[in-house]
Amino acid sequence: MRGIQSLAAFLGVAWLVMTGSSCAFRNQFRDVPRAQPHALVTVQPAAAFFDSGIGIFQLNEQPTSFWRLAEWFRVPPGPIKLHLVAGRNAYDYEPLGFVAKAGHHYDLRYGDTQSVIVLYDVSDTLAEPQMISRASRGDYWGGLRKNEHTPP
């Protein structure tokens, strides 16, 4: 009986420590509350089992949480800047900018190849998805164009 009480006390303290301490970045992006005007940004799921798919690394220069289960963000209306990653190629895509409108749903998808990511407005009010913006991988490396910086 004493062992069960000790285990329960240990688990209780462990739970308080894990939920009380945060692994969040200091300026980490936080979703806009549902009650406020917002747009939704999602990512099309990966096509293949070993493909990690598209990831949003930063949103408006704020890092996104690495504890998320899906690429799904409620963003404020106005200018949005996304830093995208895919697979093991972090910072490989140029930043993607667009102006979010309240009530709209935006979805990121690969273009014809994985070297291009396209942002579509897939709101219910539209008859078909509308292309909004695109980011290419081409000559982009480490947040700079290749001619601006040479990798080590």
Side-chain angles (χ1 to χ4, degrees):
M1 186 66 150
R2 187 161 172 84
I4 293 174
Q5 290 174 339
S6 296
L7 179 62
F10 173 76
L11 291 175
V13 169
W15 181 79
L16 286 173
V17 168
M18 288 190 313
T19 58
S21 64
S22 175
C23 295
F25 296 109
R26 198 177 349 217
N27 65 335
Q28 180 173 306
F29 175 78
R30 305 242 188 264
D31 280 339
V32 173
R34 289 179 190 214
Q36 292 182 0
H38 64 275
L40 183 64
V41 176
T42 58
V43 173
Q44 188 176 43
F49 180 73
F50 290 109
D51 178 19
S52 62
I54 302 166
I56 299 174
F57 187 69
Q58 288 186 349
L59 209 152
N60 285 346
E61 305 301 331
Q62 295 176 303
T64 54
S65 171
F66 54 86
W67 293 108
R68 61 188 185 267
L69 296 175
E71 300 293 315
W72 191 92
F73 301 95
R74 283 191 310 269
V75 298
I80 301 292
K81 184 177 180 182
L82 303 174
H83 289 272
L84 307 169
V85 294
R88 296 181 205 104
N89 302 315
Y91 299 109
D92 229 11
Y93 294 87
E94 59 190 341
L96 190 145
F98 70 103
V99 177
K101 297 177 184 173
H104 283 247
H105 178 181
Y106 301 96
D107 191 50
L108 290 161
R109 305 173 184 177
Y110 284 122
D112 293 337
T113 66
Q114 290 186 353
S115 64
V116 175
I117 295 176
V118 183
L119 178 74
Y120 289 95
D121 186 343
V122 294
S123 301
D124 293 336
T125 57
L126 301 173
E128 59 184 48
Q130 249 183 346
M131 187 179 93
I132 302 296
S133 186
R134 58 186 282 140
S136 61
R137 196 163 74 178
D139 64 347
Y140 210 71
W141 181 87
L144 299 171
R145 298 246 174 236
K146 283 185 182 174
N147 60 4
E148 295 173 357
H149 176 76
T150 306

